[in-house]
Coordinates of all heavy atoms in Angstrom, one line a residue:
Chain A
R1276 N 75.4 86.1 94.0 CA 76.7 86.0 93.3 C 76.8 84.6 92.7 O 76.3 83.6 93.3 CB 77.8 86.2 94.3 CG 77.9 85.2 95.4 CD 78.7 85.7 96.6 NE 77.8 86.5 97.5 CZ 78.2 87.0 98.6 NH1 79.5 87.0 98.9 NH2 77.4 87.7 99.3
H1277 N 77.5 84.4 91.7 CA 77.6 83.1 91.0 C 78.3 82.1 91.8 O 78.0 80.9 91.8 CB 78.2 83.2 89.6 CG 79.6 83.0 89.5 ND1 80.6 84.0 89.6 CD2 80.3 81.8 89.4 CE1 81.8 83.5 89.5 NE2 81.7 82.2 89.4
I1278 N 79.3 82.5 92.6 CA 80.1 81.6 93.4 C 79.2 80.8 94.4 O 79.4 79.6 94.6 CB 81.2 82.3 94.1 CG1 82.2 82.8 93.1 CG2 81.8 81.4 95.2 CD1 83.4 83.5 93.7
S1279 N 78.2 81.5 94.9 CA 77.4 80.9 96.0 C 76.4 79.9 95.4 O 75.9 79.0 96.2 CB 76.6 82.0 96.7 OG 77.5 82.9 97.3
R1280 N 76.0 80.1 94.2 CA 75.0 79.2 93.6 C 73.8 79.1 94.4 O 73.2 78.0 94.7 CB 75.6 77.8 93.3 CG 76.8 77.8 92.4 CD 77.3 76.4 92.1 NE 76.3 75.7 91.3 CZ 76.2 75.7 90.0 NH1 77.0 76.5 89.3 NH2 75.3 75.0 89.4
E1281 N 73.3 80.3 94.9 CA 72.2 80.3 95.8 C 71.0 80.8 95.1 O 71.0 81.4 94.0 CB 72.6 81.2 97.0 CG 72.9 82.6 96.6 CD 73.8 83.3 97.6 OE1 73.8 82.9 98.8 OE2 74.4 84.3 97.3
S1282 N 69.8 80.7 95.8 CA 68.6 81.3 95.3 C 68.2 82.3 96.3 O 68.0 82.0 97.5 CB 67.5 80.2 95.2 OG 66.3 80.8 94.8
I1283 N 68.0 83.6 95.9 CA 67.7 84.6 96.8 C 66.4 85.2 96.3 O 66.2 85.6 95.1 CB 68.7 85.7 96.8 CG1 70.1 85.2 97.2 CG2 68.3 86.8 97.8 CD1 70.1 84.6 98.7
K1284 N 65.4 85.3 97.2 CA 64.0 85.8 96.8 C 63.5 85.1 95.6 O 62.8 85.7 94.8 CB 64.1 87.3 96.6 CG 64.6 88.1 97.8 CD 64.5 89.6 97.6 CE 65.0 90.3 98.8 NZ 64.9 91.8 98.7
G1285 N 63.8 83.8 95.4 CA 63.3 83.1 94.3 C 64.1 83.2 93.0 O 63.8 82.6 92.0
F1286 N 65.1 84.1 93.0 CA 66.0 84.3 91.8 C 67.2 83.4 91.8 O 67.7 83.1 92.9 CB 66.5 85.8 91.8 CG 65.5 86.8 91.4 CD1 64.8 87.6 92.4 CD2 65.2 87.1 90.1 CE1 63.9 88.5 92.1 CE2 64.3 88.1 89.8 CZ 63.7 88.8 90.7
T1287 N 67.5 82.9 90.6 CA 68.7 82.2 90.4 C 69.4 82.7 89.2 O 68.8 83.3 88.4 CB 68.4 80.7 90.2 OG1 67.5 80.6 89.1 CG2 67.7 80.1 91.4
A1288 N 70.7 82.4 89.2 CA 71.5 82.8 88.0 C 72.6 81.8 87.8 O 73.3 81.5 88.8 CB 72.1 84.2 88.2
D1289 N 72.8 81.3 86.6 CA 73.8 80.3 86.4 C 74.9 80.9 85.4 O 74.5 81.5 84.4 CB 73.2 79.1 85.7 CG 72.4 78.3 86.7 OD1 72.8 78.2 87.8 OD2 71.3 77.8 86.3
L1290 N 76.1 80.8 85.8 CA 77.2 81.2 84.9 C 77.4 80.2 83.8 O 77.7 79.1 84.1 CB 78.5 81.4 85.7 CG 79.7 81.8 85.0 CD1 79.5 83.2 84.3 CD2 80.9 81.8 85.9
N1291 N 77.3 80.7 82.6 CA 77.5 79.9 81.4 C 78.8 80.4 80.7 O 78.7 81.4 80.0 CB 76.3 79.9 80.5 CG 76.4 78.9 79.3 OD1 77.5 78.8 78.8 ND2 75.3 78.3 78.9
K1292 N 79.9 79.8 80.9 CA 81.1 80.3 80.4 C 81.2 80.1 78.9 O 81.8 80.9 78.2 CB 82.3 79.6 81.0 CG 82.5 79.9 82.5 CD 83.8 79.3 83.1 CE 84.0 79.7 84.5 NZ 85.2 79.2 85.1
G1293 N 80.5 79.1 78.4 CA 80.5 78.9 76.9 C 79.8 80.0 76.2 O 80.2 80.5 75.1
E1294 N 78.7 80.5 76.8 CA 77.9 81.6 76.2 C 78.3 82.9 76.8 O 77.7 83.9 76.4 CB 76.4 81.3 76.4 CG 75.9 80.1 75.6 CD 74.4 79.8 75.8 OE1 73.8 80.6 76.5 OE2 74.0 78.9 75.2
T1295 N 79.2 82.9 77.7 CA 79.6 84.1 78.5 C 78.4 84.9 79.0 O 78.2 86.1 78.7 CB 80.5 85.0 77.7 OG1 79.9 85.5 76.5 CG2 81.8 84.4 77.3
S1296 N 77.5 84.1 79.6 CA 76.3 84.7 80.1 C 76.0 84.4 81.6 O 76.6 83.5 82.2 CB 75.1 84.2 79.3 OG 74.8 82.8 79.6
F1297 N 75.2 85.3 82.2 CA 74.9 85.1 83.6 C 73.5 85.7 83.8 O 73.2 86.7 84.5 CB 75.9 85.9 84.5 CG 75.7 85.6 86.0 CD1 75.8 84.3 86.5 CD2 75.6 86.7 86.9 CE1 75.6 84.1 87.9 CE2 75.5 86.5 88.2 CZ 75.5 85.2 88.7
H1298 N 72.5 85.0 83.2 CA 71.2 85.5 83.2 C 70.5 85.2 84.5 O 70.6 84.2 85.1 CB 70.3 84.8 82.1 CG 70.9 85.0 80.7 ND1 71.6 86.1 80.3 CD2 70.9 84.1 79.6 CE1 72.0 86.0 79.0 NE2 71.6 84.8 78.6
L1299 N 69.7 86.2 84.9 CA 68.9 86.1 86.2 C 67.5 85.6 85.9 O 66.8 86.2 85.0 CB 68.9 87.5 86.8 CG 68.2 87.6 88.2 CD1 69.0 86.8 89.3 CD2 68.0 89.0 88.6
K1300 N 67.0 84.6 86.6 CA 65.8 84.0 86.4 C 64.9 83.9 87.6 O 65.5 83.7 88.7 CB 65.9 82.6 85.7 CG 66.7 82.6 84.4 CD 66.9 81.2 83.9 CE 67.7 81.2 82.7 NZ 68.0 79.8 82.2
K1301 N 63.6 84.0 87.4 CA 62.7 83.7 88.5 C 61.4 83.1 87.8 O 60.9 83.6 86.9 CB 62.3 85.0 89.3 CG 61.4 84.7 90.5 CD 61.3 85.9 91.4 CE 60.4 85.6 92.6 NZ 60.4 86.7 93.6
P1302 N 60.9 82.0 88.4 CA 59.8 81.3 87.7 C 58.5 82.1 87.8 O 57.7 82.0 86.9 CB 59.8 80.0 88.4 CG 60.5 80.1 89.7 CD 61.5 81.2 89.4
F1303 N 58.3 82.7 88.9 CA 57.0 83.4 89.1 C 57.3 84.8 89.7 O 57.6 85.0 90.9 CB 56.1 82.7 90.1 CG 55.9 81.2 89.7 CD1 56.6 80.2 90.4 CD2 55.1 80.9 88.6 CE1 56.5 78.9 90.0 CE2 54.9 79.5 88.3 CZ 55.6 78.5 88.9
A1304 N 57.2 85.8 88.8 CA 57.5 87.2 89.3 C 56.4 87.7 90.3 O 55.2 87.4 90.1 CB 57.6 88.1 88.1
Q1305 N 56.9 88.5 91.2 CA 56.0 89.2 92.2 C 56.1 90.7 92.0 O 57.1 91.2 91.5 CB 56.4 88.8 93.6 CG 56.4 87.3 93.9 CD 55.0 86.7 93.7 OE1 54.0 87.2 94.2 NE2 55.0 85.6 93.0
E1306 N 55.1 91.4 92.4 CA 55.1 92.8 92.2 C 56.3 93.5 93.0 O 56.8 94.5 92.5 CB 53.8 93.4 92.7 CG 52.6 93.1 91.8 CD 51.3 93.8 92.3 OE1 51.2 95.0 92.2 OE2 50.4 93.1 92.8
E1307 N 56.6 92.9 94.1 CA 57.7 93.5 94.9 C 59.1 93.3 94.2 O 60.1 93.8 94.7 CB 57.7 92.9 96.3 CG 57.7 91.4 96.4 CD 56.4 90.8 96.5 OE1 55.4 91.4 96.0 OE2 56.3 89.7 97.2
D1308 N 59.1 92.5 93.1 CA 60.4 92.3 92.4 C 60.7 93.5 91.5 O 61.8 93.6 90.9 CB 60.3 91.1 91.6 CG 60.2 89.8 92.4 OD1 60.7 89.8 93.5 OD2 59.5 88.8 91.9
S1309 N 59.7 94.4 91.3 CA 59.9 95.6 90.5 C 61.1 96.4 91.0 O 61.1 96.8 92.2 CB 58.7 96.4 90.4 OG 57.6 95.7 89.8
A1310 N 62.1 96.6 90.2 CA 63.3 97.3 90.6 C 64.3 97.4 89.4 O 64.0 96.9 88.3 CB 64.0 96.5 91.8

Side-chain angles (χ1 to χ4, degrees):
Chain A
R1276 68 200 82 181
H1277 91 268
I1278 289 178
S1279 302
R1280 301 184 66 82
E1281 58 201 341
S1282 174
I1283 303 294
K1284 299 184 179 182
F1286 285 97
T1287 59
D1289 291 319
L1290 177 62
N1291 186 324
K1292 292 187 178 180
E1294 296 182 358
T1295 60
S1296 69
F1297 188 56
H1298 304 326
L1299 183 67
K1300 300 177 183 179
K1301 185 170 183 176
F1303 307 103
Q1305 302 299 314
E1306 289 183 68
E1307 54 266 30
D1308 296 328
S1309 296

